[in-house]
């Protein structure tokens, strides 16, 4: 499953498809980080590893995903961190409690200004797979 970057005239679109809500959130995180593309070599030594706890609420699972990605985006730029994993402590349609893990001391080649609600709606397709499209304002 995972994510795929789609064409868009001015912004970046990404389709995320997977079996579970946790996998959709994880794939969206990894897809966003991959698009931003870190500059230079990344050090994965223990001293550079960072963990950030998150407790986020939303009005539904789509809102929760967009709020989550925007918070990750904020941490990425303000803290100079690249996140490559997430451990879920609790995830429902309206609440996320998790810990994101990554590396500090990172700058990015591509900038995302914001994660938008345009086209975003987590739905289950005919095959029972969850999918959504996420548009990044660049």
């Amino acid at each position: 499953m995972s994510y795929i970057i789609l064409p868009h005239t001015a912004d970046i679109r990404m389709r995320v498809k997977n079996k579970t809500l946790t996998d959709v959130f994880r794939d969206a995180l990894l897809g966003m980080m991959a698009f931003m593309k870190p500059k230079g070599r990344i050090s994965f030594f223990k001293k550079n590893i960072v963990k950030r706890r998150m407790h986020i609420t939303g009005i539904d699972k789509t809102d929760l995903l967009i709020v989550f990605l925007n918070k990750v985006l904020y941490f990425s730029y303000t803290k100079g961190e690249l996140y490559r994993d997430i451990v879920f402590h609790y995830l429902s349609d309206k609440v996320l409690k998790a810990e994101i893990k990554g590396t500090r001391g990172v700058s990015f080649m591509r900038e995302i200004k914001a994660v938008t609600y345009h086209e975003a709606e987590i739905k289950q397709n005919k095959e029972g797979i969850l999918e959504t499209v996420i548009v990044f304002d660049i």
Side-chain angles (χ1 to χ4, degrees):
M1 303 295 152
S2 201
Y3 62 87
I4 184 169
I5 302 297
L6 302 170
H8 192 279
T9 54
D11 294 320
I12 296 298
R13 292 172 69 227
M14 178 176 69
R15 176 176 290 126
V16 181
K17 295 169 78 170
N18 219 313
K19 294 177 183 177
T20 67
L21 194 58
T22 57
D23 289 335
V24 168
F25 273 68
R26 179 176 285 111
D27 290 347
L29 168 69
L30 296 176
M32 183 173 75
M33 292 288 104
F35 172 77
M36 292 168 63
K37 195 171 183 178
K39 288 181 185 176
R41 291 184 342 148
I42 300 170
S43 173
F44 294 109
F45 293 113
K46 279 192 173 191
K47 67 178 183 167
N48 292 335
I49 300 299
V50 65
K51 297 176 183 179
R52 299 215 174 270
R53 290 188 177 268
M54 303 179 111
H55 181 175
I56 300 168
T57 59
I59 50 177
D60 60 23
K61 58 189 168 204
T62 301
D63 180 53
L64 189 64
L65 176 62
I66 302 304
V67 171
F68 164 69
L69 291 174
N70 274 308
K71 189 161 192 163
V72 170
L73 188 64
Y74 170 79
F75 284 143
S76 294
Y77 288 129
T78 60
K79 307 293 185 188
E81 297 169 349
L82 170 76
Y83 303 102
R84 52 192 165 83
D85 194 16
I86 182 169
V87 175
F88 295 94
H89 300 291
Y90 180 80
L91 180 61
S92 70
D93 286 358
K94 296 182 179 185
V95 177
L96 173 134
K97 292 181 183 178
E99 183 175 74
I100 53 175
K101 297 179 181 183
T103 305
R104 71 181 80 210
V106 177
S107 60
F108 298 95
M109 295 178 77
R110 297 184 213 143
E111 182 178 329
I112 295 175
K113 295 177 189 172
V115 185
T116 73
Y117 287 88
H118 182 67
E119 295 189 59
E121 184 178 1
I122 300 175
K123 290 183 180 180
Q124 193 169 31
N125 66 21
K126 292 182 279 187
E127 294 82 33
I129 303 296
L130 295 172
E131 62 180 288
T132 189
V133 172
I134 301 165
V135 176
F136 300 109
D137 181 16
I138 55 171

